[in-house]
Amino acid sequence: MTTTRQELIAEAREMIGLYTKAERAVLLNQSYSIAGQTLTRADLDKVRAGRQEWENRLNTYIGQGKMLILNVRPMDY
């Protein structure tokens, strides 16, 4: 089964949303205690790195299909 560009973009946006929610949760409450044990939600740096990775993928997916023109030089015929 082939994945379309639109599906890749949708997946990347969904993952960015999930990472953003996780980042917010970690920022609001990095650690908590249950029955005298202190637990840590997640490593904020790893969550941010994951979000940035998906943002880079999204930029790549969006950039596909665009034409980039460099060094245009007028010519006389």
Side-chain angles (χ1 to χ4, degrees):
M1 184 174 142
T2 304
T3 304
T4 67
R5 185 169 164 249
Q6 286 76 23
E7 290 170 333
L8 292 172
I9 290 170
E11 178 186 25
R13 287 184 173 150
E14 179 183 359
M15 293 302 295
I16 291 167
L18 292 172
Y19 270 102
T20 300
K21 287 179 185 179
E23 187 174 357
R24 186 176 298 125
V26 171
L27 286 169
L28 292 174
N29 193 6
Q30 172 64 23
S31 60
Y32 56 97
S33 297
I34 298 176
Q37 278 191 318
T38 301
L39 305 166
T40 302
R41 284 190 187 274
D43 183 350
L44 183 59
D45 290 336
K46 288 182 181 178
V47 173
R48 285 183 172 160
R51 178 182 45 81
Q52 290 168 350
E53 170 65 27
W54 280 100
E55 287 172 348
N56 290 339
R57 287 186 191 191
L58 177 61
N59 289 334
T60 299
Y61 299 152
I62 289 173
Q64 288 177 355
K66 291 185 179 180
M67 186 182 306
L68 180 63
I69 300 174
L70 301 172
N71 297 329
V72 176
R73 295 182 185 144
M75 298 179 70
D76 292 330
Y77 288 98

